[in-house]
């Protein structure tokens, strides 16, 4: 069990995109001068640890359920490939989830019952996403779960921790972030649509079919760029909120690839969508903070 194997297990390419919601949520607190660097770091640490825990749980539970097989077209899964034992991956996911409760406890102290409820729900859903009698990811609910937790919940709660209030502007800012992170999952499920269907894993992609899933991806990506335009058009937000449009040149190659590619070539689209999500979030955070 080398460092390289564990590096594969945590799926590092998924981690930068997970930071986007915290960046945007914290940026929403800058105009009111409520930004807290300590809360920002704690939220970042908690989010990364939860994402790692979700990745490890997914690796373990999909192996135990027989979903990951030799036909898998995605990156190597360490449990299925035998690189790391199932027990070790299970223990690592539990340990990482427990570690996330350290910054989580600090955030609960700052935010009170609201954040306690969010942290508790997040911990439960981390396990239930791939495990339990009714796995979220295997019953068409994964896309909704990812959008809610990595969009409105993550962004709005970060803003709440710093400002002490929820706001419509923060909710609006959460939507494109949630759209793009959900788009990452959509590409993943589009790539695995045949193998998931054979294994009985009914992702939303399996339910919608290939054409419907491609439409969902296009809607999520283009919708993420529409939101800043609507925010600017409302007259409430000045022009810096349009900074994410600078990332639009990254979109066209991804849309073309999604419409044409199948199987393993979609791994490049997945990585490209994660990159788009991070670049968009960085530009959007700057626009929100200094606009």
């Amino acid at each position: 069990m080398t460092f390289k194997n564990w590096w594969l297990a945590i799926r590092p390419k998924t981690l930068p995109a997970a930071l986007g919601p915290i960046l945007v949520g914290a940026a929403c607190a800058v105009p009111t001068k409520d930004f807290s660097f300590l809360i920002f770091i704690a939220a970042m640490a908690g989010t990364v640890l939860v994402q790692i825990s979700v990745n490890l749980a997914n690796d373990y539970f999909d192996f135990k359920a027989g979903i990951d097989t030799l036909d898998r077209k995605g990156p190597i899964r360490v449990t299925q490939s035998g690189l790391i034992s199932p027990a070790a991956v299970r223990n690592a996911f539990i340990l990482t989830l427990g570690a996330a409760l350290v910054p989580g406890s600090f955030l609960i102290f700052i935010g009170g019952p609201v954040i306690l409820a969010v942290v508790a729900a997040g911990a439960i859903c981390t396990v239930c996403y791939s495990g339990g009698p009714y796995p979220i990811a295997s019953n068409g609910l994964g896309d909704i779960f990812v959008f809610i937790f990595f969009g409105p919940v993550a962004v709005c709660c970060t803003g709440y921790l710093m400002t002490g209030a929820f706001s419509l502007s923060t909710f609006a800012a959460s939507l494109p972030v949630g759209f793009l992170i959900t788009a990452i999952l959509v590409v993943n499920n589009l790539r695995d649509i045949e193998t998931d269907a054979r294994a009985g894993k009914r992702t939303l992609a399996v339910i919608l079919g290939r054409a419907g899933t491609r439409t969902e991806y296009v809607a999520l990506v283009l919708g993420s760029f529409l939101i800043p335009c609507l925010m600017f058009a409302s007259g409430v937000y000045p022009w810096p909120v349009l900074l994410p449009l600078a990332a639009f040149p990254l979109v066209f190659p991804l849309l073309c690839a999604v419409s044409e590619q199948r199987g393993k070539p979609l791994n490049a689209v997945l990585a490209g969508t994660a990159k788009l999500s991070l670049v968009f979030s960085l530009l959007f955070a700057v626009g929100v903070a200094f606009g």
Side-chain angles (χ1 to χ4, degrees), residues 13-32:
K13 290 183 179 179
T14 67
L15 302 184
L19 301 179
I22 310 304
L23 287 169
V24 174
C28 291
V30 172
T32 59

Side-chain angles (χ1 to χ4, degrees), residues 75-120:
I76 294 174
R77 291 287 181 89
V78 296
T79 313
Q80 179 270 325
S81 63
L83 293 174
I84 305 177
S85 71
V89 175
R90 179 200 61 211
N91 293 341
F93 122 67
I94 294 171
L95 181 64
T96 309
L97 184 59
L101 295 178
V102 176
S105 297
F106 169 72
L107 298 177
I108 291 169
F109 175 76
I110 298 295
V114 171
I115 303 303
L116 172 61
V118 170
V119 170

Side-chain angles (χ1 to χ4, degrees), residues 232-253:
F232 176 69
S234 72
V236 177
Y237 305 88
W239 70 265
V241 79
L242 297 175
L243 282 176
L245 299 184
F248 198 75
L250 298 174
V251 170
F252 186 70

Side-chain angles (χ1 to χ4, degrees), residues 18-40:
L19 301 179
I22 310 304
L23 287 169
V24 174
C28 291
V30 172
T32 59
K33 297 181 173 58
D34 290 315
F35 176 82
S36 167
F37 186 72
L38 191 57
I39 292 174
F40 176 70

Side-chain angles (χ1 to χ4, degrees), residues 204-279:
L204 188 57
V206 171
I207 294 169
L208 294 178
R210 191 172 296 278
T213 305
R214 285 169 170 163
T215 301
E216 181 191 5
Y217 179 83
V218 172
L220 288 168
V221 172
L222 296 184
S224 67
F225 285 88
L226 177 62
I227 298 296
C229 296
L230 293 176
M231 293 172 71
F232 176 69
S234 72
V236 177
Y237 305 88
W239 70 265
V241 79
L242 297 175
L243 282 176
L245 299 184
F248 198 75
L250 298 174
V251 170
F252 186 70
L254 297 175
L255 298 184
C256 290
V258 160
S259 68
E260 299 169 357
Q261 302 290 348
R262 292 188 176 208
K264 289 185 178 181
L266 287 173
N267 287 330
V269 181
L270 192 150
T273 307
K275 177 183 177 182
L276 172 64
S277 174
L278 179 60
V279 172

